[in-house]
Amino acid sequence: MSSWLDYTINGLIVGNVYALVAVGLALIFGVSRLINFAQGSIYLVGAYIGWVAVVQLHTPLPLTIIVVAVAAAIVGLIIERFGLRPLQNSVRIAPLLATIGISFVLDQLVMLTFSPNPRALPSQLPDVRFQVGGGTIGPLDLLIAGVGLTSALLLFVFLRYSKLGWAVRATAQDRDAAMQMGVDVNRVNQAVFGIAAALGGVSGLLVGMYYNQIDTAMSLQATLKGVVAEVVGGAGNVPGAVIGSLLLGLVESYGVAVFGTSYRNLFAFLLLVVVLVLRPNGLFASARQAPPEPLTGTFIAPSRPVRIPRWALAVAAAIFAILPLFPVSFYVLQTLINAWLLGMLALSLTLVAGTIGQVSLGHAALLAIGAYTSALLSLTLNVPVGLAIIGGGLMSAALGTLLISPSFRLRGHYVSIATLAIGEIVSLVILNWESVTRGPIGISGIPPLSLFGTELISPTSIYWFSFAVMVVLALLQGRLLTSHLGRSFRAIRDDDIAARAYGLSLNRYKSLAFIFGGFAAGVSGGIAAHLYSYINHETFNTQQSILALTVVILGGLGNVVGAMLGAVALVGLPEVFRIAAEYRILIYGIVLLLLVRFRPQGLLGTI
Amino acid sequence: MAEQLNSMLSLRGLTRRFGGLTAVDAIDLDLAKGELVSIIGPNGAGKTTLFNLITGLDRPDAGEVRFEGQDVTGFSPERLAGEGIARTFQLGRVFGNLSVMDNVLIGAHTRLRAVKPTVPVIGPLLELGLALLRPSSVRNEEERLREEVKAILARFGERLLPRIDQPAYSLSYANRRRVEIARALALQPRLLLLDEPTAGMNPTETAEMQALVAELKAEGLTILLIEHKLEMVMRLSDCVIVMDEGKKIAEGPGEVVRSDPKVIEAYLGHGLSGTSEQESAA
Ligand SMILES: Nc1ncnc2c1ncn2[C@@H]1O[C@H](COP(=O)(O)OP(=O)(O)OP(=O)(O)O)[C@@H](O)[C@H]1O
Ligand SMILES: [Mg+2]
């Protein structure tokens, strides 16, 4: 009974909401060339402040909107002042990591304050629908359209006719020239973050009312959708962001009409990947742009890695190897097994994010590919578990590299967006491809770890197995780093243009890095599958990707020993201090922020 | 003008526009084997953009680039490096976290053979395998290249050799420029493009650099040089090309070009170019 007109109206309304997020992202990108990964968290904060206002304070609707806009703007100003301004003169990776960390901290704070359970957010509007042609439209639709148009108008007037608005435009056009003309770039940043946050917060409120439900998972979705819309419209292009948002809303709405609700996000991310590959400057980018010659500033913090003598490493390895011979508790072994699995993932990520400079936010997808492959090989084809795990590693290497390859032509923040989206695509495919992956039910009864026909059941044997695998992977990676590939990867990270001018093909070497790294991650996922005996599409999620990233930064980007040390520290220390599980993610986020600010080279230094 | 036979590089009508601005406007240029041609011109004349077009980092809107008789217009930079074109960058693009040794070894990347078998499709995988296994052929090649790098670094006297294991970011500005040139030499180029190699250098350092370029020329290397220090240009060049606002406004032996009224006009019109001071301040 739902007509096409209904789907069109729905698409435009949802597009309107995306636009509120995307416009903020575009403004921020325009003045600071930064993709604000915390935008979705502000949207989340807006939704919950709205809930407090509506449900607890019973504010009337206009006041609710104002309260949310002001409160969100304040959050935005705080982020700008304390999260990003101190990083103005640091390496290019720093603000990227900072917004990721901020987003994590905000999401966790909301979750800890309000619990992760969904809440209803009533719209305060009468529940009537008007007939329009063949479809219907409700007061909330009109409100959303009205807020969207009003914001667009206000923003237009601000940018066009106010002095600060002029400064924003000047900075977006040419930051250096604007500074020379006496524009106060800090004030411009403040203005932009305040506006972006106010719009984002109101957007969260409206979406909460639209679906009459809010929960903490909204944040990541909003960031992703906003970024998709912004990139489709052309990064930094404000009108483009509006058009991109409406387009995204329509694509999703029609996609849902044809294929069903569970495909909604798949369309968004496919649209993103297609645009990034075919038109990385957005649909409306004027001419092909050559990168301006001085791409100043290095990507990662320069540092001299801490040199650890070989014998010390050998001693440390020996101590961990003989640890189970001593009377240690099951709990300690269990914790360390987790650390070794995370260590393998961190080895993989430190290679792609650190050594070759592709900050992947979708690394958990490689775990998932390895886990599903290994589980299915051993369950349906009766492949011995040891071989199945290697199969998982190989599949992750091959499929992962193939999936991530569209991002090879991208740089910096775009790589992170693309990998985040590709990670989401993988988990959506796992959810929807029921004939192979068993969809939402997941895979149960995965056979336990075994080696040459002997099952590894005791914690001790599992400990040794996972430790040995990690050490072998680490040794291989160390060897890789000392080869010509190690220096080629690092050269591409430090300056891809100079690298190309000296004959290094970016596709070839990024592929090799992802093949090697994908294998390690796939093996880690494979072992995990046999250890857990049950996996589903949510077993390997973005939180793990971010945790791995924190481990990698903590140990030092590209640093093999650092990756293992970081894994032990981040898994072990919360256990030692008996920190409750729900606070851990918050702490990881804070650790990431502190590192970026005070020790960007990590504990052992960048290699 | 070089006869077609031993022509190294020839540009015909090369043009690049940025929006309304024509940064490189129908440039013709011929460079014969063993020649050193300098390109001078005020700031923003389009010299660096011209280099980007020759090395494939940017694509022309019109015109043609021929290298050793072959049409290479629109080739990727990787491919042109493989053909034997090496360049340095005006603003210095060393690999900051790599040691001096590794920086220069990257220059020799196109010459790797043992570790990079030219097998289609599985070539990259073989490369990964060989990098991990390192049979003696690979180890010997690496050893040979390392020796070669040391020989190249020795050309800079004691400037770089004692710092061979230091990361490039820790070097002085002048030393980073030297590393760039060493990296270019490691490619064993047939054509070398130098973009203001002495920018930011003091007179002693400039004299050293000038001597090195003269040496390279004497060894028969073909060089295209962008340089603001006219003294050096006059001494080294077989031919000087003057660019202004994307166009070639004069061409010929140094002394002739120098007294060309159009050239004087271009320089005076834009205010005398003081790029060297500007660079060192940056
Ligand atoms: N990627 C780009 N996008 C837009 N304009 C560009 C780009 N690259 C160069 N330009 C413009 O093209 C013109 C020529 O620049 P180019 O760097 O080639 O000059 P140059 O002769 O090397 O100057 P200098 O002596 O200062 O190095 C300048 O006006 C510059 O602003
Ligand atoms: Mg230049």
Side-chain angles (χ1 to χ4, degrees):
Chain A
M1 59 144 256
S2 280
S3 68
W4 281 101
L5 190 60
D6 268 337
Y7 282 113
T8 308
I9 292 175
N10 177 268
L12 289 176
I13 296 299
V14 173
N16 231 306
V17 170
Y18 293 159
L20 290 174
V21 178
V23 163
L25 286 168
L27 281 172
I28 292 174
F29 189 91
V31 300
S32 54
R33 297 286 173 268
L34 168 74
I35 286 170
N36 180 18
F37 280 93
Q39 190 73 3
S41 305
I42 296 173
Y43 164 101
L44 180 70
V45 169
Y48 276 86
I49 291 173
W51 180 85
V52 171
V54 171
V55 175
Q56 304 201 311
L57 306 175
H58 308 291
T59 51
L61 184 60
L63 187 59
T64 310
I65 294 179
I66 292 171
V67 166
V68 167
V70 171
I74 291 173
V75 176
L77 292 178
I78 293 175
I79 292 179
E80 192 278 326
R81 179 65 193 84
F82 298 102
L84 294 171
R85 202 182 297 177
L87 301 176
Q88 246 167 20
N89 298 317
S90 57
V91 288
R92 277 183 288 136
I93 196 176
L96 168 69
L97 294 172
T99 62
I100 294 169
I102 291 168
S103 127
F104 236 54
V105 169
L106 281 179
D107 290 0
Q108 287 303 312
L109 286 176
V110 170
M111 194 182 286
L112 290 172
T113 319
F114 294 96
S115 92
N117 300 329
R119 279 157 200 259
L121 179 56
S123 76
Q124 302 172 296
L125 286 171
D127 192 15
V128 292
R129 311 232 18 121
F130 313 110
Q131 281 290 329
V132 181
T136 64
I137 193 165
L140 190 56
D141 297 329
L142 296 175
L143 173 71
I144 291 177
V147 170
L149 288 175
T150 315
S151 317
L153 195 68
L154 285 178
L155 193 62
F156 177 77
V157 171
F158 166 75
L159 288 175
R160 195 93 222 173
Y161 299 106
S162 76
K163 196 148 182 286
L164 190 54
W166 173 83
V168 169
R169 284 189 296 143
T171 312
Q173 210 157 65
D174 187 336
R175 194 184 177 94
D176 294 332
M179 272 163 86
Q180 274 167 16
M181 290 170 68
V183 169
D184 179 351
V185 176
N186 283 338
R187 269 202 61 200
V188 166
N189 278 340
Q190 259 174 358
V192 161
F193 269 87
I195 294 172
L199 294 175
V202 170
S203 170
L205 172 73
L206 294 175
V207 171
M209 289 181 165
Y210 193 67
Y211 294 111
N212 191 16
Q213 179 182 321
I214 55 175
D215 65 59
T216 44
M218 291 166 66
S219 162
L220 181 64
Q221 292 301 328
T223 303
L224 285 170
K225 296 299 173 60
V227 167
V228 175
E230 196 225 348
V231 172
V232 169
N237 179 344
V238 174
V242 175
I243 298 174
S245 303
L246 297 177
L247 191 67
L248 175 62
L250 288 174
V251 166
E252 278 187 13
S253 191
Y254 293 143
V256 167
V258 178
F259 295 96
T261 327
S262 59
Y263 286 88
R264 174 181 285 272
N265 292 337
L266 204 52
F267 283 103
F269 301 139
L270 286 177
L271 180 67
L272 174 70
V273 174
V274 168
V275 169
L276 281 179
V277 171
L278 298 182
R279 306 219 48 164
N281 294 322
L283 291 182
F284 315 108
S286 45
R288 74 204 157 86
Q289 285 165 317
E293 208 220 307
L295 222 171
T296 44
T298 40
F299 184 64
I300 63 167
S303 77
R304 276 167 219 256
V306 177
R307 293 229 175 271
I308 303 174
R310 268 161 193 268
W311 63 262
L313 289 176
V315 168
I319 291 175
F320 277 114
I322 59 171
L323 190 73
L325 300 178
F326 295 91
V328 287
S329 69
F330 170 73
Y331 172 71
V332 168
L333 288 186
Q334 190 63 46
T335 305
L336 283 172
I337 290 171
N338 286 337
W340 305 146
L341 289 180
L342 180 60
M344 291 175 218
L345 182 65
L347 282 173
S348 163
L349 188 58
T350 212
L351 183 72
V352 296
T355 310
I356 201 164
Q358 308 292 296
V359 179
S360 159
L361 294 183
H363 230 59
L366 298 176
L367 288 179
I369 295 174
Y372 270 86
T373 307
S374 186
L376 291 171
L377 280 178
S378 58
L379 264 179
T380 54
L381 299 178
N382 289 322
V383 175
V385 172
L387 285 180
I389 290 174
I390 293 177
L394 292 176
M395 181 61 98
S396 215
L399 193 58
T401 307
L402 193 71
L403 288 171
I404 290 168
S405 60
S407 80
F408 287 169
R409 35 198 308 199
L410 308 173
R411 287 185 152 155
H413 296 206
Y414 282 111
V415 177
S416 304
I417 297 169
T419 48
L420 192 59
I422 292 163
E424 293 291 308
I425 291 176
V426 168
S427 103
L428 288 167
V429 168
I430 290 176
L431 179 64
N432 286 302
W433 196 11
E434 292 192 18
S435 59
V436 173
T437 63
R438 308 188 189 168
I441 305 163
I443 300 181
S444 51
I446 303 168
L449 287 174
S450 70
L451 207 55
F452 308 117
T454 349
E455 289 199 345
L456 308 178
I457 305 282
S458 73
T460 316
S461 54
I462 296 172
Y463 175 96
W464 271 324
F465 178 73
S466 46
F467 182 65
V469 172
M470 182 189 70
V471 169
V472 168
L473 288 172
L475 288 173
L476 279 176
Q477 192 159 323
R479 196 162 166 83
L480 184 74
L481 290 185
T482 56
S483 74
H484 81 289
L485 284 178
R487 84 175 163 254
S488 304
F489 290 176
R490 294 164 66 222
I492 288 172
R493 167 195 69 195
D494 279 3
D495 190 331
D496 56 351
I497 294 198
R500 291 187 71 193
Y502 281 91
L504 276 71
S505 149
L506 302 188
N507 279 337
R508 181 182 184 112
Y509 292 112
K510 287 180 183 178
S511 298
L512 285 183
F514 272 97
I515 286 174
F516 192 92
F519 182 77
V523 165
S524 173
I527 296 177
H530 296 280
L531 212 56
Y532 304 160
S533 85
Y534 171 75
I535 53 174
N536 66 20
H537 68 286
E538 283 173 333
T539 311
F540 307 100
N541 54 27
T542 312
Q543 285 198 350
Q544 259 150 314
S545 301
I546 307 283
L547 174 58
L549 191 61
T550 311
V551 167
V552 165
I553 311 279
L554 177 66
L557 279 159
N559 197 316
V560 169
V561 179
M564 295 183 285
L565 178 72
V568 172
L570 276 197
V571 173
L573 290 183
E575 300 290 345
V576 172
F577 293 109
R578 310 225 165 250
I579 295 168
E582 59 263 38
Y583 287 99
R584 280 189 195 170
I585 313 252
L586 179 65
I587 289 176
Y588 296 148
I590 293 173
V591 168
L592 183 58
L593 282 179
L594 292 177
L595 281 170
V596 170
R597 175 83 175 82
F598 296 107
R599 201 172 161 82
Q601 73 274 38
L603 292 177
L604 298 186
T606 306
I607 290 187
Chain B
M1 287 295 121
E3 59 270 37
Q4 204 59 27
L5 241 180
N6 59 355
S7 155
M8 195 54 125
L9 179 75
S10 83
L11 310 180
R12 286 291 169 269
L14 209 59
T15 302
R16 175 68 165 115
R17 300 183 197 92
F18 294 114
L21 175 102
T22 308
V24 172
D25 196 351
I27 293 288
D28 294 337
L29 182 153
D30 285 284
L31 185 56
K33 209 165 272 178
E35 239 184 352
L36 190 154
V37 170
S38 292
I39 303 177
I40 63 170
N43 293 135
K47 308 180 293 292
T48 299
T49 307
L50 185 68
F51 266 26
N52 289 345
L53 296 176
I54 298 172
T55 52
L57 288 174
D58 198 356
R59 284 157 158 272
D61 292 304
E64 182 186 79
V65 181
R66 280 184 172 274
F67 180 62
E68 298 190 311
Q70 184 192 5
D71 184 355
V72 297
T73 323
F75 274 27
S76 69
E78 300 87 294
R79 183 142 176 222
L80 289 166
E83 300 283 336
I85 301 182
R87 74 172 285 182
T88 66
F89 293 88
Q90 180 176 1
L91 292 150
R93 301 192 90 132
V94 290
F95 305 111
N97 288 283
L98 266 61
S99 66
V100 170
M101 171 59 98
D102 280 347
N103 263 284
V104 183
L105 278 172
I106 290 288
H109 184 86
T110 54
R111 294 167 50 220
L112 293 172
R113 291 287 174 274
V115 79
K116 272 187 80 190
T118 45
V119 185
V121 189
I122 57 160
L125 291 177
L126 286 179
E127 185 179 351
L128 179 61
L130 287 168
L132 289 172
L133 292 174
R134 271 180 249 169
S136 63
S137 61
V138 170
R139 268 180 284 133
N140 292 342
E141 180 176 63
E142 185 81 6
E143 211 34 59
R144 191 168 49 71
L145 288 177
R146 280 173 189 273
E147 289 309 316
E148 219 177 88
V149 168
K150 285 184 197 150
I152 292 173
L153 293 179
R155 302 187 76 142
F156 298 84
E158 286 300 293
R159 298 281 192 187
L160 294 177
L161 269 181
R163 303 182 173 81
I164 193 162
D165 289 320
Q166 287 183 17
Y169 74 79
S170 70
L171 300 178
S172 71
Y173 187 80
N175 269 339
R176 271 184 263 168
R177 315 236 42 165
R178 295 189 184 102
V179 168
E180 273 216 70
I181 292 174
R183 182 175 69 187
L185 294 179
L187 189 140
Q188 292 191 345
R190 297 136 82 79
L191 171 63
L192 176 63
L193 288 80
L194 299 171
D195 196 345
E196 298 196 31
T198 69
M201 288 189 175
N202 66 29
T204 326
E205 294 166 339
T206 304
E208 261 178 55
M209 187 56 72
Q210 182 174 332
L212 177 68
V213 177
E215 224 176 275
L216 294 174
K217 184 187 173 194
E219 289 164 19
L221 189 56
T222 316
I223 299 174
L224 198 55
L225 171 73
I226 296 178
E227 187 49 68
H228 277 291
K229 291 177 181 154
L230 288 185
E231 169 81 6
M232 176 163 164
V233 169
M234 295 304 153
R235 275 179 196 249
L236 293 174
S237 318
D238 298 311
C239 172
V240 177
I241 290 174
V242 189
M243 282 180 74
D244 185 30
E245 294 180 342
K247 294 192 189 64
K248 181 162 80 179
I249 57 167
E251 175 173 20
E255 315 79 60
V256 179
V257 163
R258 192 175 212 169
S259 46
D260 188 323
K262 267 186 295 185
V263 176
I264 297 167
E265 150 86 45
Y267 269 89
L268 289 180
H270 293 271
L272 262 176
S273 143
T275 308
S276 47
E277 289 87 26
Q278 215 173 296
E279 281 279 326
S280 52

